[in-house]
Amino acid sequence: MNKKDAINLFFSKFIGDSDKSLSTTFSTITTIREIEKGQILFTQGDRGEFVWFLIDGSIKLFKSNSDGKECVVRFVAPNDIFAEILFSDAQNYPVSAIAVKKSKLLGINTNGFFKLIKKNGEFSSHYIAAITKRLRYFVNMIENLTTADVQSRFLSYLNHAVNEQNSNRIELSVPKKDIALLLGTTPENFSRTLKKLANDGIIKVEGMVITLLDHTV
């Protein structure tokens, strides 16, 4: 995918339709980057220059404490953005990002982005709406992690994926042990949760593909 197509995809997912002049302007503040599996995109504490939109692949976001222990924040799937905290007044990346598989990304320069917001009121309105939607999702995710059991957390994860992809058939972009880390549980407990959900007829598991059979849960 070239930069023009990547920009159009970004707009369709987060901003809405745009005119040709806006897309042309956006092209001047973006860059395409490809990284291999296991390659670090940025490290916690690095000064941030770009917010990233994942075109293809999978990115793991994680934090490390003083003892070097890793805490998974989330896994980024294609057609999603991350490091968007730089669109506020933050200047440094609060987490580290590593490619779980070979990935292609669109980098959005933050300085150029702020200038675009100031010049284009319609773009600014669409951006605010998109960020508000994302904030609601993260608030719900934090609430689930602190109050819900593993089954509820995973079902919330699946429902979000279904809504984003418009399909009840979800292909996991990372190993199940990494999903377990994201949900704050052990791989063994996560496996038991998958088995129970499958036995209850709520999901169907086929390797890395999970079909949500009951979208009402």
Side-chain angles (χ1 to χ4, degrees), residues 154-180:
F154 183 58
L155 288 174
S156 178
Y157 172 89
L158 284 181
N159 275 297
H160 175 72
V162 167
N163 291 332
E164 286 293 307
Q165 300 179 29
N166 293 318
S167 172
N168 67 332
R169 189 174 183 273
I170 305 301
E171 182 173 359
L172 300 179
S173 58
V174 295
K176 292 179 180 126
K177 63 180 180 64
D178 289 331
I179 298 292

Side-chain angles (χ1 to χ4, degrees), residues 58-59 72-78 80 137-138 140-142 144-145 148-165 167-184 190 193-194 197 203 208-210 212 215 217:
S58 180
I59 299 290
V72 177
V73 176
R74 72 183 177 105
F75 292 95
V76 184
D80 202 357
Y137 163 68
F138 286 121
N140 290 335
M141 183 176 72
I142 292 171
N144 280 331
L145 284 173
D149 58 23
V150 174
Q151 178 172 306
S152 298
R153 291 178 218 162
F154 183 58
L155 288 174
S156 178
Y157 172 89
L158 284 181
N159 275 297
H160 175 72
V162 167
N163 291 332
E164 286 293 307
Q165 300 179 29
S167 172
N168 67 332
R169 189 174 183 273
I170 305 301
E171 182 173 359
L172 300 179
S173 58
V174 295
K176 292 179 180 126
K177 63 180 180 64
D178 289 331
I179 298 292
L181 283 174
L182 179 64
L183 297 174
F190 182 54
T193 299
L194 287 179
L197 289 171
I203 65 172
M208 293 293 286
V209 177
I210 295 181
L212 184 58
H215 196 13
V217 296

